[in-house]
Amino acid sequence: MATSASSILRALGTGSGIDLTALVTQLVDAQFASKNQQLGRQNQRLTAQISGAGQLRSNITSFADGLRTLATGGGTATSPTSSNTAVVTASRIGGASLAGLNATIEVQKLARGQTATTAPVANRTAPVGAGTLTLTFGTAVVSNQGLTSFTPGSGTPVAITIDPATSSLDNIAATINAANAGVTASILTDAGGARLTLRSQTGASQAFTLTATEDPAAPGLSALDIGVGTPGVIVGSAAQDAVVAVDGVAVSRSTNQISDLIDGVRFDLVSAAPGTSVAIGSSAPTTALRQAVNDFVSAFNTLANGTKNLTSATGGDLFGDPAARNFQTALGRLTLTNLATPAATGAPRTLADIGVATNRDGTLSVRADRLDAALSRFPNEVEALFADGAGATGAGLAAAFKAIADTAVNADTGLGASITRYTRSQGLIAEQQDKASADRDVVRNRLTQQFAGVDSQLAAYKSTQSQLTSFFAPRPTN
């Protein structure tokens, strides 16, 4: 049918002399122009709405992520201090409240692992011997760089197989490291030859022995024995626990990174200093909190202005969108939301209480005098407003906004639902555009057939006219 119509279109006008092809096109275009323009405008509007909803959803998510980072980063939380960081440093564990922290620490011993070096072998690349090396952990007494006693622990000894083909000192060290048995192997070369050096993790229970069971076909592995009274072995460091006194009470730990002495504080032991008391206190994040309030207001205003533009009655892509409107309303109430439940009378509960004011256009501003007064009188309570918590109220700013954000971007009732609705409508528009295109082709073909018939009749009339004209034309006389 389409081919036939196309052939007719090419022939149209040959009889009448009129450009009937152009005439058909103009008539069809005129009939469908209004419909196509209407569908095109609706499609553009829906595209803009989908884009606007996606943009707002992204803005909300980014703002929520920023507040979450602020709450969990520790920059707005009271941090522990050490009066002597050359002996011990202190850091805050996430989620801890350290207001009023006051303690003393004395580092009497640092935790150490055992370091043992075997008797030398002449060539580190030559085979030493094959068999099995058994690594046993426990506690030991060290004297004059040698093990004088060893008590095995409750753990199962680790057997490490040494193959004859890979029995050089270099290969043995690599095999031990690959076993991940709790020691690190390396090679030490001195004037006497090459020595296998093993280092364990810290703690008194990390002393070890290394015992060879030789392969009779490739003897010599026992040269690497590390044990009580083994000739040539040098124990450079004895395994021991760290010993610290907290407010005069001595405790031991297997590592120099300790997180269970004082709730919420991690201690890193730097050096042993028996008899030296280090004061542990706290530092309020006054400057950081002041900066956080101002940064929040700046970011809030960017979000609020973007939302206002998207929902504007004069050209806003999301004007009338219920999810965007509800979010804008919730955003306007954020400064009055209870973010904490302080016990102190007059202590701040909301952002408005610390001088964050709402302007007529919906943006925020900071009253510096009120913020400074709150930080001066209630530093801990202001800190609590930015704490990491969960819940729409009473659990910090990040949690309060998260509750708003979760509702706003919800796939069933929020912006996610709006995007789904707009996308479905756009699909219906596409179906209507396809139908309009099909209807256009039908009308075009019908008009083409009609005008083809007319053109044929006109051609016949012109032929008859030509004959009559010729018949009645005057003839010359002789």
Side-chain angles (χ1 to χ4, degrees), residues 148-374:
T148 58
S149 70
F150 179 80
T151 302
S154 59
T156 303
V158 180
I160 303 170
T161 301
I162 306 300
D163 189 86
T166 55
S167 62
S168 70
L169 202 60
D170 283 337
N171 288 332
I172 290 173
T175 301
I176 292 173
N177 288 332
N180 293 317
V183 296
T184 301
S186 59
I187 306 298
L188 173 65
T189 302
D190 59 16
R195 302 171 183 266
L196 177 68
T197 298
L198 300 182
R199 295 177 175 83
S200 72
Q201 298 176 5
T202 60
S205 64
Q206 296 302 302
F208 61 86
T209 61
L210 188 68
T211 306
T213 302
E214 295 187 344
D215 182 347
L221 195 60
S222 59
L224 303 182
D225 277 359
I226 299 173
V228 176
T230 305
V233 172
I234 298 174
V235 179
S237 173
Q240 68 178 30
D241 287 337
V243 178
V244 296
V246 182
D247 292 332
V249 179
V251 296
S252 61
R253 295 291 185 270
S254 61
T255 72
N256 293 314
Q257 291 79 42
I258 307 173
S259 300
D260 61 351
L261 292 180
I262 297 176
D263 288 344
V265 182
R266 165 179 160 158
F267 292 102
D268 287 274
L269 310 184
V270 179
S271 63
T276 299
S277 291
V278 178
I280 304 298
S282 62
S283 174
T286 303
T287 301
L289 285 169
R290 182 181 292 108
Q291 185 64 49
V293 171
N294 284 281
D295 289 346
F296 163 77
V297 167
S298 177
F300 179 97
N301 289 343
T302 299
L303 176 62
N305 286 329
T307 305
K308 182 178 180 181
N309 291 336
L310 286 169
T311 56
S312 171
T314 55
D317 293 332
L318 297 182
F319 174 68
D321 183 277
R325 183 174 61 248
N326 291 339
F327 169 70
Q328 192 172 31
T329 300
L331 196 64
R333 294 196 296 260
L334 183 58
T335 58
L336 300 178
T337 300
N338 283 336
L339 305 180
T341 54
T345 302
R349 297 171 178 267
T350 68
L351 291 175
D353 292 339
I354 61 173
V356 179
T358 302
N359 304 318
R360 288 188 176 183
D361 61 357
T363 60
L364 304 181
S365 58
V366 180
R367 291 183 54 182
D369 56 338
R370 290 193 62 181
L371 176 58
D372 289 343

Side-chain angles (χ1 to χ4, degrees), residues 3-241:
T3 302
S4 175
S6 177
S7 300
I8 293 172
L9 276 172
R10 287 194 297 270
L12 275 180
T14 57
S16 64
I18 302 172
D19 189 354
L20 296 179
T21 300
L23 179 59
V24 169
T25 300
Q26 291 170 5
L27 289 173
V28 173
D29 287 347
Q31 181 173 345
F32 287 91
S34 177
K35 180 67 172 179
N36 288 333
Q37 289 174 1
Q38 178 186 10
L39 293 175
R41 287 193 297 269
Q42 291 176 351
N43 188 56
Q44 291 178 354
R45 171 65 175 165
L46 288 168
T47 297
Q49 288 173 317
I50 293 171
S51 176
Q55 177 186 341
L56 181 55
R57 181 171 62 179
S58 177
N59 292 346
I60 293 170
T61 301
S62 296
F63 191 74
D65 290 344
L67 290 178
R68 172 69 176 166
T69 299
L70 179 67
T72 60
T76 57
T78 296
S79 57
T81 60
S82 168
S83 64
N84 191 340
T85 55
V87 175
V88 59
T89 63
S91 56
R92 175 180 174 271
I93 296 174
S97 177
L98 302 179
L101 176 63
N102 184 17
T104 60
I105 295 286
E106 177 191 353
V107 181
Q108 298 175 357
K109 290 182 181 180
L110 291 180
R112 294 188 308 209
Q114 177 177 306
T115 301
T117 302
T118 65
V121 298
N123 187 345
R124 61 187 293 171
T125 61
V128 174
T132 303
L133 292 173
T134 301
L135 186 67
T136 304
F137 290 98
T139 57
V141 176
V142 176
S143 178
N144 296 324
Q145 294 189 315
L147 293 177
T148 58
S149 70
F150 179 80
T151 302
S154 59
T156 303
V158 180
I160 303 170
T161 301
I162 306 300
D163 189 86
T166 55
S167 62
S168 70
L169 202 60
D170 283 337
N171 288 332
I172 290 173
T175 301
I176 292 173
N177 288 332
N180 293 317
V183 296
T184 301
S186 59
I187 306 298
L188 173 65
T189 302
D190 59 16
R195 302 171 183 266
L196 177 68
T197 298
L198 300 182
R199 295 177 175 83
S200 72
Q201 298 176 5
T202 60
S205 64
Q206 296 302 302
F208 61 86
T209 61
L210 188 68
T211 306
T213 302
E214 295 187 344
D215 182 347
L221 195 60
S222 59
L224 303 182
D225 277 359
I226 299 173
V228 176
T230 305
V233 172
I234 298 174
V235 179
S237 173
Q240 68 178 30
D241 287 337

Side-chain angles (χ1 to χ4, degrees), residues 28 31-32 432 434-444:
V28 173
Q31 181 173 345
F32 287 91
Q432 294 180 57
D434 290 342
K435 185 178 184 303
S437 178
D439 291 345
R440 174 189 170 92
D441 289 341
V442 170
V443 172
R444 181 185 180 88

